[in-house]
């Protein structure tokens, strides 16, 4: 049985190869389990990407690589954990696009967005999609904008959290179309 070669698999393998090559040049690393932390609920895009990378890294390095989902505050909870981790190469992170805007979104952070992290590789790119329930009556973006203009603030939109890439994208869309919509950030799983 042949596996379908996807863009994600290629990117994951390339990232794993880059980390593995760098690690071999630095000695005996890894000698124990590596943890990849991300800041969103299990099953979402960050989790899928982290698991693809962990699989590729594990095979390339011959070492166990586990994934930890630590959702909260648009990924800043996970970023704080990674920033405080011992800088020994055993704690990695999948950082979302919202990481770049976190310093402007939150009054204070337990880390410095640029200075406390070292980029290894771009892991993925994906488009944002605007979707609604089939029974909502919206058949186009123009119809949605018209409805939002008739009832400012009545339309709700959901995102992974405050300051996340999807939230900033919708806020930009709202500014450009001169509409008012209400943000409903995802709750942290209990």
């Amino acid at each position: 049985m042949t596996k379908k070669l996807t863009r994600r698999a290629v990117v994951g393998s390339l990232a794993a190869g880059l980390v593995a090559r760098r690690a071999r040049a630095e000695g005996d690393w890894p000698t124990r389990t590596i943890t990849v932390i991300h800041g969103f609920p299990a099953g979402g895009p960050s989790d899928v990407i982290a698991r693809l990378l962990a699989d590729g890294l594990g095979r390339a390095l011959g070492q166990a690589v586990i994934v930890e989902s630590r959702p909260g505050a648009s990924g800043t909870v996970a970023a704080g954990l990674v920033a405080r981790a011992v800088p020994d190469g055993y704690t990695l992170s999948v950082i979302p696009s919202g990481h770049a805007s976190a310093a402007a979104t939150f009054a204070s952070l337990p880390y410095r967005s640029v200075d406390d992290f070292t980029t290894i590789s771009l892991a993925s790119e994906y488009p944002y999609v605007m979707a609604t329930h089939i029974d909502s009556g919206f058949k186009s973006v123009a119809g949605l904008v018209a409805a939002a203009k008739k009832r400012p603030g009545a339309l709700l939109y959901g995102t992974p959290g405050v300051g996340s890439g999807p939230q900033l994208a919708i806020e930009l869309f709202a500014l450009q179309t001169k509409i008012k919509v209400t943000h409903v950030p995802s709750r942290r799983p209990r």
Side-chain angles (χ1 to χ4, degrees):
M1 178 179 179
T2 58
K3 285 187 172 182
K4 182 178 177 184
L5 191 59
T6 65
R7 185 174 181 189
R8 284 185 182 170
V10 170
V11 170
S13 296
L14 288 173
L18 289 171
V19 172
R21 186 175 21 206
R22 183 174 176 184
R24 285 191 194 105
E26 294 177 3
D28 294 333
W29 183 90
T31 58
R32 60 185 169 88
T33 300
I34 298 166
T35 302
V36 178
I37 298 174
H38 68 82
F40 296 93
S46 292
D47 188 57
V48 170
I49 291 163
R51 291 180 190 287
L52 287 168
L53 290 171
D55 182 57
L57 279 172
R59 280 187 274 119
L61 298 172
Q63 187 59 260
V65 181
I66 61 169
V67 174
E68 281 187 27
S69 172
R70 301 298 291 264
S74 297
T76 62
V77 170
L81 291 171
V82 174
R84 291 187 303 275
V86 176
D88 57 6
Y90 289 95
T91 304
L92 304 176
S93 182
V94 172
I95 295 179
S97 57
H99 181 81
S101 61
T105 306
F106 295 93
S108 66
L109 294 171
Y111 58 85
R112 295 168 299 167
S113 296
V114 175
D115 297 337
D116 289 346
F117 300 87
T118 299
T119 301
I120 297 170
S121 174
L122 173 66
S124 70
E125 294 177 303
Y126 51 88
Y128 293 131
V129 177
M130 189 180 299
T132 187
H133 191 277
I134 194 166
D135 295 332
S136 70
F138 299 121
K139 303 295 182 206
S140 67
V141 173
L144 184 130
V145 169
K149 286 184 176 183
K150 284 182 186 174
R151 297 178 46 212
L155 294 182
L156 310 177
Y157 72 94
T159 71
V162 174
S164 65
Q167 193 230 349
L168 296 176
I170 292 293
E171 291 298 329
L172 177 61
F173 174 77
L175 283 171
Q176 291 174 334
T177 58
K178 297 178 175 67
I179 62 174
K180 181 170 174 42
V181 290
T182 302
H183 181 222
V184 181
S186 175
R187 288 186 345 169
R188 183 178 178 178
R190 293 178 190 220

